[in-house]
Amino acid sequence: MSVDSRVAVYTGSFDPITLGHLNVIERASRLVDRLIVGIGINLEKQSLFTPEERVALVQQITQRLGNVDVRTFSGLAVKFVRDCGARVIVRGIRSLTDMESEFTMTLANRKLDPGIETVFLMADDEFSHVSSTLIKQITPLAGDEELSRFVPRELIPAIRAKIAAASGS
């Protein structure tokens, strides 16, 4: 596959996808001709949603963006980026703590494939505290109106159902 400089890949677990993730997707999609959202599959990590469910959820909330494609991958992100014909990884940064870990990952990725560049997008301040882990913690306690400040409103029923099933409720 040839490398296309106007294609970027945004990787993550998106379990579940948050308004912070969506903010990065929307902004990144305006910078490139095509944005591929790569949903990483880590068999050692206990996920709330299956990879197929995560793809469906991300597709549901990005379908209005005509240049976003959603795929799963396992293994190294830089290999996935190459397989997509891209040479840019987009990463969202929420805090200085994120920056430290992302910096380490970027240096490793450069060693693995010096032709891949990483572009960081700062999360809008209203999303700087939002994480998938936080969503899992507050969903059982928050009402829909409160939860809609963190995740797309149309995904709340699916998130609630998954968390209830996981807790045995």
Side-chain angles (χ1 to χ4, degrees):
M1 182 177 266
S2 65
V3 174
D4 186 341
S5 62
R6 298 290 299 164
V7 174
V9 179
Y10 177 34
T11 59
S13 60
F14 307 103
D15 186 42
I17 188 165
T18 68
L19 290 176
H21 294 132
L22 183 57
N23 176 258
V24 171
I25 291 168
E26 289 169 340
R27 291 169 47 221
S29 74
R30 292 192 297 263
L31 299 174
V32 296
D33 293 333
R34 191 161 57 107
L35 178 67
I36 298 166
V37 177
I39 297 177
I41 300 171
N42 183 345
L43 298 175
E44 296 172 11
K45 190 174 175 183
Q46 180 67 34
S47 297
L48 184 62
F49 289 95
T50 68
E52 297 77 20
E53 290 168 332
R54 286 182 272 157
V55 166
L57 293 173
V58 175
Q59 286 174 331
Q60 180 181 345
I61 63 166
T62 61
Q63 65 187 354
R64 62 186 167 72
L65 305 171
N67 65 336
V68 175
D69 186 20
V70 185
R71 304 178 192 170
T72 59
F73 76 97
S74 58
L76 295 172
V78 290
K79 181 177 180 335
F80 176 67
V81 171
R82 277 289 177 204
D83 290 346
C84 290
R87 61 182 182 180
V88 174
I89 296 177
V90 173
R91 300 297 297 155
I93 302 290
R94 295 173 302 185
S95 65
L96 286 176
T97 306
D98 278 356
M99 191 65 208
E100 189 173 324
S101 63
E102 290 293 342
F103 182 76
T104 301
M105 185 56 65
T106 297
L107 291 175
N109 285 341
R110 265 203 204 138
K111 291 285 187 199
L112 293 166
D113 190 333
I116 303 269
E117 292 294 339
T118 301
V119 174
F120 298 104
L121 292 179
M122 289 294 298
D124 283 352
D125 60 347
E126 65 193 284
F127 305 120
S128 63
H129 63 290
V130 180
S131 69
S132 295
T133 301
L134 175 71
I135 301 309
K136 292 171 191 169
Q137 292 170 337
I138 68 169
T139 296
L141 308 171
D144 286 0
E145 195 59 40
E146 295 160 319
L147 205 51
S148 70
R149 297 178 196 149
F150 303 98
V151 297
R153 186 177 294 280
E154 60 269 33
L155 302 186
I156 291 173
I159 294 168
R160 286 201 184 284
K162 269 296 183 176
I163 289 177
S167 68
S169 302

